[in-house]
Amino acid sequence: MTIVNWNASQYDNWHDYVSMHGQDVIEWLQPQSEERIIDIGCGTGDLTNHIAQAGAVVSGIDYSPEMIAQALTKYPQLRFNIVDGHHFTSEPPVDAVFSNAALHWMTRPADVIASVWNVLRPGGRFVAEFGGIGNIATVQTAIHTVLQAGRQGTKVNNPWYFPSIGMYSSQLEQQGFHVRRAVLFERPTPLQKDTSAFSVWLDTFANVYFQNISPDKHLAYKEQIERICHPKLFDPLKERWILDYVRIRIEAIKPL
């Protein structure tokens, strides 16, 4: 699990597109009244609440205390808990497990998949979307280029897990799941129309790269990364940053 210090208010104010796109994933889930559902990596709870509005009995889990605190403030009627997505349990078993934009932070996918398997009833389903192979490739290449140069070649660890369909489907199948459908697709994602939007994105989603770096170097590195990414990711006609997101969306069933 990548440890990230989340600013939950910043996340809600600047990155509402995360939950907006997640509503399409809920269409794959098709939550039904009285179904028991777990939302892994629920963040500040918007999609958990959306699932609850369908009548499902849903609980959200996230490893970030900041995210869970924000979710409880926004939706006090729902259940949220601070839990590592690699290892979670449920008694009794649930009808479905859902996740949006979270599994790429969980770098031991076999552990996550085993936990999903263990909490699902026979016939239960797992529906998720997360970053796939090639996700934010321009940004990640720029980060590694700048930090490796700044640290005189010191290796920069990748905090994310962006698999191919084949990689992830094979792990699901090894666990015993039947993969019903899976897609990998490009989804260019506009940030807010603000000159600081890319810098805020780095602070929100890539801050793990800048831990233990002095504030002045942090700012200098971000400026270098922005200069590298600007020609490819800033749209001058729309006057906004559009990041090169690539997503995997998958539905798998635990056989009866």
Side-chain angles (χ1 to χ4, degrees):
M1 169 73 72
T2 302
I3 306 300
V4 182
N5 296 317
W6 292 100
N7 182 325
S9 296
Q10 184 182 74
Y11 181 88
D12 274 347
N13 292 334
W14 284 84
H15 310 294
D16 56 349
Y17 57 83
V18 176
S19 57
M20 179 187 70
H21 288 296
Q23 293 178 19
D24 291 339
V25 194
I26 292 177
E27 291 184 9
W28 276 35
L29 178 68
Q30 289 292 304
Q32 303 299 310
S33 180
E34 302 303 318
E35 278 193 319
R36 289 172 49 82
I37 298 174
I38 295 175
D39 179 3
I40 310 175
C42 63
T44 62
D46 291 342
L47 294 178
T48 317
N49 182 60
H50 193 101
I51 294 168
Q53 289 176 349
V57 180
V58 60
S59 60
I61 63 172
D62 201 289
Y63 200 48
S64 165
E66 298 86 0
M67 290 293 203
I68 291 297
Q70 182 89 333
L72 286 167
T73 298
K74 291 164 65 175
Y75 307 109
Q77 76 280 14
L78 299 180
R79 259 181 64 194
F80 296 99
N81 290 290
I82 302 169
V83 178
D84 184 345
H86 291 97
H87 302 289
F88 61 97
T89 60
S90 176
E91 189 59 46
V94 299
D95 299 291
V97 175
F98 171 85
S99 185
N100 178 65
L103 296 183
H104 50 255
W105 295 102
M106 303 175 201
T107 52
R108 302 193 308 278
D111 290 344
V112 177
I113 290 168
S115 292
V116 173
W117 176 270
N118 289 335
V119 302
L120 280 174
R121 65 165 176 79
R125 62 203 187 279
F126 177 34
V127 175
E129 182 179 299
F130 57 104
I133 189 168
N135 189 57
I136 58 166
T138 301
V139 180
Q140 193 167 31
T141 298
I143 291 173
H144 282 244
T145 298
V146 168
L147 293 186
Q148 284 177 351
R151 298 179 183 179
Q152 287 76 47
T154 302
K155 182 180 179 182
V156 178
N157 292 322
N158 176 12
W160 297 303
Y161 168 69
F162 296 143
S164 66
I165 285 178
M167 290 167 62
Y168 202 73
S169 294
S170 66
Q171 294 207 61
L172 288 167
E173 289 168 349
Q174 287 171 23
Q175 181 64 57
F177 280 103
H178 293 170
V179 178
R180 176 176 285 176
R181 50 183 169 167
V183 293
L184 177 75
F185 59 97
E186 295 181 1
R187 194 191 69 209
T189 301
L191 304 184
Q192 282 197 20
K193 198 170 183 179
D194 188 290
T195 56
S196 62
F198 184 74
S199 178
V200 172
W201 187 96
L202 288 174
D203 285 340
T204 304
F205 295 109
N207 68 70
V208 66
Y209 279 110
F210 305 106
Q211 293 173 356
N212 304 316
I213 294 177
S214 64
D216 57 331
K217 285 188 176 180
H218 182 183
L219 180 59
Y221 288 156
K222 286 203 306 176
E223 289 174 346
Q224 291 176 56
I225 292 163
E226 183 167 336
R227 282 197 296 271
I228 293 171
C229 292
H230 192 275
K232 289 186 178 180
L233 300 179
F234 186 81
D235 188 327
L237 295 179
K238 296 181 179 178
E239 298 182 326
R240 69 195 311 168
W241 289 87
I242 301 177
L243 298 199
D244 50 345
Y245 277 34
V246 178
R247 312 313 265 180
I248 280 182
R249 189 180 300 174
I250 200 156
E251 179 185 13
I253 306 299
K254 182 175 181 176
L256 293 169

